[in-house]
Amino acid sequence: MINDAAALAAINELKISKAVYGFVRSAEDELASVYTSIDAVAEANFARVLGGFKEENVGLRHFAPTTGYGYDDSGRDTLDRLFAHALFAEDALVRPQLTSGTHALYMALNGLCSAGYSVVAASGKPYDTLEGAIGLSGDYPHSLVKQGVSFDFVELDRNGKINIDNVLKTIEEKKADVLYVQRSRGYAWRDSLLVNEDMKPLFDAVKAKHKNIAIFVDNCYGEFTDIVEPLCAGADVIAGSLIKNPGGGLAPTGGYIAGKAKYIQKIEQLLTVPGMGREVGSYAASYRPFYQGLYMAPHTTAQALKGAALFARVFERLGMQTMPASDAKRSDIVQAVRFNEEEGLISFCRSIQSASPVDSAAVPEPWDMPGYTSKVIMAAGAFVQGSSIELSADAPIRKPYTAYVQGGLTIEHCRLAVMLALNDLVNAGIVRI
Ligand SMILES: *Cc1c(COP(=O)(O)O)cnc(C)c1O
């Protein structure tokens, strides 16, 4: 097995030892049934995506750049409908002008809320980048709190699951108008929330008592990891980033918001100007990467999921704790690995950087990132700046020294990256195989 062409290329080009190559390959052999399930999810999702392209009769004309006001921009409007179809939504807003996931999430929440509204989060404190937008930290004009919206969150239970009783109690106490749920683990040692197993029971329980509450899901990192999306389980609006899963690694920037038409109609007014909403907004570059990105997204997400499972399996074999386990059903593309000591964690992140196609010579250093209590190290060598559907790793430098790995456009890249990381750990005497 070691003598095949793939092994020789890895050994010659990347100086991976035979032992490491064999170790990773044999770990991967154990993932056959995991890979089969991931492929089945990708196939189902791709069929739906392709069905949308056919239904919309997508043609080259849709890729054309537009200018000025962007009236009757059929590339923009058709892309909205394709995303709606792909995500089981009645309607969607997909825009390069949404600069990030955080921007899409903030705009969606802002559009759902008016002064005096109450938002209750069912999945603990929201993702770090939303703190300023919500008004949980900093003192920014136009944060939701500054606009008179209250925000409360209910912690997950000891097992990282939603505490439905506490959520219902808090909704009643606060007379909540919006329920907020974060699908991905983000950078927390907890499981991602599965659509049917975790979200549906919550949404059913909430809607049974509060028919008019709007359920909003931060869907970042979750798209196409399952054959269902949160809207299938009764969510009303979802939002996410195009430089994660649904951009397929090709979208150069952007975000999306999707859901029930009546809510999208409210939110779309914030896209530009009340009264103009989605009718205006041009894009002077081609829309092609967004279309092709959506076309690739089910496959690309599957590649990232296989990569995550492989990272998990390799480090499980070395006796380290992983979250989720290599054979767990996943609802996001994030893989956490506990190194338990600083040296291994830093070595790992540096290896991921050195395995990148871009900036491979950069050496990541732990630094004091604004908003974090401990130093953070980040490895990313992506074609699109900050894209985390491309292979990347981040870690706060604190016990128990957990690395969060996500993305990888191809399983070939993920596999070589695990090999390089392990090679470096072995060479540094940090682990033995
Ligand atoms: C990435 C992410 C965000 C924020 O997206 P950005 O594009 O980084 O602004 C929000 N929530 C979750 C769960 C994410 O993974």
Side-chain angles (χ1 to χ4, degrees), residues 99-105 126-130 180 182-187 190 218-222 240-244 254 332 334 386 388:
T99 51
S100 62
T102 306
H103 187 189
L105 293 162
Y127 195 75
D128 289 309
T129 57
L130 281 152
Y180 183 96
Q182 180 183 311
R183 179 175 182 174
S184 170
R185 75 202 65 240
Y187 300 116
R190 65 127 161 133
D218 172 354
N219 207 30
C220 284
Y221 283 142
S241 164
L242 299 189
I243 62 169
K244 294 181 180 175
D332 72 6
V334 183
S388 44

Side-chain angles (χ1 to χ4, degrees), residues 1-18 21 25 416 419-420:
M1 196 258 283
I2 285 299
N3 290 322
D4 67 14
L8 284 177
I11 292 162
N12 292 336
E13 286 286 338
L14 299 167
K15 316 293 172 234
I16 289 161
S17 77
K18 276 187 190 175
Y21 187 90
R25 277 289 183 184
L416 287 173
M419 288 176 178
L420 278 168

Side-chain angles (χ1 to χ4, degrees), residues 51-295:
F53 275 77
K54 284 167 64 60
E55 198 172 291
E56 293 297 332
N57 190 18
V58 171
L60 291 178
R61 67 189 181 285
H62 292 120
F63 309 154
T66 57
T67 56
Y69 297 123
Y71 292 133
D72 302 316
D73 183 338
S74 69
R76 177 195 66 202
D77 296 343
T78 305
L79 190 63
D80 283 349
R81 290 193 297 275
L82 281 180
F83 265 74
H85 185 91
L87 298 170
F88 304 94
E90 290 174 11
D91 199 357
L93 303 164
V94 186
R95 291 295 181 284
Q97 292 89 345
L98 290 170
T99 51
S100 62
T102 306
H103 187 189
L105 293 162
Y106 168 71
M107 213 186 75
L109 271 179
N110 206 1
L112 287 172
C113 293
S114 305
Y117 273 39
S118 151
V119 182
V120 167
S123 45
K125 203 163 162 228
Y127 195 75
D128 289 309
T129 57
L130 281 152
E131 288 193 6
I134 291 168
L136 298 176
S137 70
D139 184 27
Y140 306 107
H142 312 298
S143 72
L144 291 173
V145 168
K146 275 278 162 69
Q147 293 183 55
V149 175
S150 71
F151 199 96
D152 295 273
F153 52 91
V154 178
E155 293 296 352
L156 296 167
D157 69 18
R158 302 160 123 264
N159 303 316
K161 298 289 175 195
I162 291 172
N163 192 328
I164 297 185
D165 289 342
N166 274 358
V167 172
L168 287 172
K169 230 183 283 167
T170 310
I171 287 175
E172 263 144 50
E173 218 173 276
K174 303 288 172 183
K175 299 191 174 22
D177 303 283
V178 176
L179 179 71
Y180 183 96
V181 176
Q182 180 183 311
R183 179 175 182 174
S184 170
R185 75 202 65 240
Y187 300 116
W189 187 263
R190 65 127 161 133
D191 258 322
S192 50
L193 299 174
L194 293 163
V195 172
N196 284 332
E197 295 81 346
D198 299 310
M199 291 188 204
K200 184 133 197 322
L202 170 73
F203 298 170
D204 286 348
V206 168
K207 290 268 165 149
K209 289 199 171 167
H210 309 277
K211 191 159 66 44
N212 294 324
I213 204 165
I215 299 179
F216 176 69
V217 177
D218 172 354
N219 207 30
C220 284
Y221 283 142
E223 301 89 352
F224 305 124
T225 57
D226 199 345
I227 55 170
V228 283
E229 294 290 338
L231 297 169
C232 304
D236 294 298
V237 178
I238 59 176
S241 164
L242 299 189
I243 62 169
K244 294 181 180 175
N245 313 15
L250 294 178
T253 184
Y256 78 88
I257 300 165
K260 299 245 167 77
K262 69 168 180 177
Y263 293 116
I264 299 297
Q265 276 162 20
K266 275 183 87 177
I267 296 164
E268 76 182 49
Q269 295 300 320
L270 285 179
L271 259 182
T272 59
V273 179
M276 293 184 186
R278 71 198 299 171
E279 302 294 319
V280 293
S282 60
Y283 186 56
S286 172
Y287 285 109
R288 186 186 51 76
F290 300 96
Y291 281 83
Q292 199 174 355
L294 177 61
Y295 159 88

